[in-house]
């Protein structure tokens, strides 16, 4: 696998919906890697409280402030608020790399299942809502439990990265590699994000059956 990846060590990272476990876990790992991290929420007070609980170079603010200030913005909001939140931040996110890790899933007695999305995937919806942003799909399959566990120094995982902008996907692959044990692997154009998002339902089933926090590894690269 090529090691020719950009230097992203000085990139600041904003996380919309960063008060949830996934966003909080990513914030923790990127802060440990030396990044300035901004946690966003509809409530600036809640965001700041969560940021203080994470510690390190993490601070909290409302979503609009985070979207405007961060170099790269990760979308980790609940699916039911996905479109409306991004629509409200269109101007703040213009020109930025926006990393969508939202999984549109439903749950019933049989477990998790992928929901249909009119645009094809959450990432494609983000691209439609944010025409002036560089949308990349990534970080769908990273266990929040492992991200938050101080006993876990390395996470053995490949992050599948999909997008239409080569510079943007290279940047996100490099950011993924800032987490010890993790590789960022290019996984195709943004139109391929649906399979990546939907695969989360399979991983949830695996984790329930085997009482694990399973991720993915891609062989032969």
């Amino acid at each position: 696998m090529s090691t020719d990846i950009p230097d992203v060590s000085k990139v600041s990272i904003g996380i919309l919906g960063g008060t949830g476990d996934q966003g909080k876990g990513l914030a923790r790992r990127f802060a440990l890697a030396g990044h300035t991290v901004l946690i966003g929420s509809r409530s600036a007070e809640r965001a700041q409280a969560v940021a203080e609980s994470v510690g390190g170079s993490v601070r909290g603010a409302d979503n609009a402030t985070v979207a405007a200030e961060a170099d790269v913005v990760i979308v980790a909001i609940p699916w039911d608020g996905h479109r409306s939140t991004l629509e409200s931040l269109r101007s703040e996110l213009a020109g930025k790399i926006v990393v969508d890790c939202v999984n549109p899933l439903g749950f019933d007695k049989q477990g998790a299942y992928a929901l249909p999305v009119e645009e094809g995937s959450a990432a494609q919806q983000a691209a439609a809502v944010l025409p002036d942003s560089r949308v990349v799909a990534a970080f769908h399959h990273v266990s929040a439990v492992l991200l938050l566990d101080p006993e876990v120094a390395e996470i053995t995982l490949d992050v599948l990265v999909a997008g239409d902008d080569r510079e943007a996907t290279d940047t996100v692959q490099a950011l993924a590699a800032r987490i010890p044990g993790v590789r960022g692997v290019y996984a195709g154009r943004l139109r391929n994000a649906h399979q990546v998002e939907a695969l989360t339902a399979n991983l949830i089933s695996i984790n329930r059956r085997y009482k694990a926090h399973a991720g993915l590894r891609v062989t032969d690269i």
Side-chain angles (χ1 to χ4, degrees):
M1 184 172 175
S2 173
T3 57
D4 185 20
I5 58 176
D7 179 9
V8 294
S9 59
K10 304 300 184 185
V11 171
S12 64
I13 300 169
I15 304 177
L16 305 180
T19 56
D21 285 346
Q22 190 77 11
K24 189 162 58 174
L26 288 170
R28 178 178 178 274
R29 293 290 170 167
F30 283 126
L32 287 172
H35 291 273
T36 296
V37 181
L38 297 83
I39 284 179
S41 173
R42 286 176 293 180
S43 163
E45 292 76 14
R46 184 177 179 220
Q48 186 56 37
V50 170
E52 290 173 1
S53 74
V54 174
S57 56
V58 182
R59 63 185 177 87
D62 61 273
N63 280 330
T65 299
V66 169
E69 291 188 11
D71 297 326
V72 172
V73 178
I74 297 174
V75 181
I77 56 183
W79 169 239
D80 58 6
H82 185 261
R83 179 191 290 277
S84 60
T85 300
L86 294 183
E87 285 176 342
S88 72
L89 300 172
R90 185 178 289 129
S91 61
E92 289 87 351
L93 293 171
K96 294 182 186 276
I97 295 175
V98 176
V99 185
D100 202 300
C101 66
V102 175
N103 298 305
L105 298 176
F107 296 86
D108 60 18
K109 292 180 180 179
Q110 297 182 58
Y113 61 96
L115 295 173
V117 179
E118 182 180 354
E119 295 85 355
S121 64
Q124 287 170 291
Q125 184 180 92
V129 170
L130 305 171
D132 298 320
S133 300
R134 303 156 74 191
V135 175
V136 175
F139 298 111
H140 299 87
H141 306 141
V142 192
S143 165
V145 173
L146 296 182
L147 289 171
L148 289 166
D149 190 342
E151 299 299 316
V152 177
E154 293 192 3
I155 301 176
T156 305
L157 177 79
D158 286 338
V159 167
L160 301 182
V161 180
D164 297 329
D165 182 313
R166 175 63 182 269
E167 184 182 20
T169 56
D170 283 354
T171 296
V172 176
Q173 286 179 254
L175 284 173
R178 298 285 291 170
I179 302 173
V182 174
R183 295 190 305 179
V185 176
Y186 176 72
R189 298 281 188 160
L190 202 65
R191 67 183 183 183
N192 291 319
H194 167 73
Q195 302 95 287
V196 177
E197 295 171 7
L199 188 60
T200 307
N202 300 87
L203 284 173
I204 290 171
S205 299
I206 290 168
N207 288 334
R208 286 182 174 173
R209 173 65 65 88
Y210 297 102
K211 296 179 173 59
H213 303 293
L216 297 175
R217 268 299 197 202
V218 180
T219 62
D220 200 34
I221 58 171

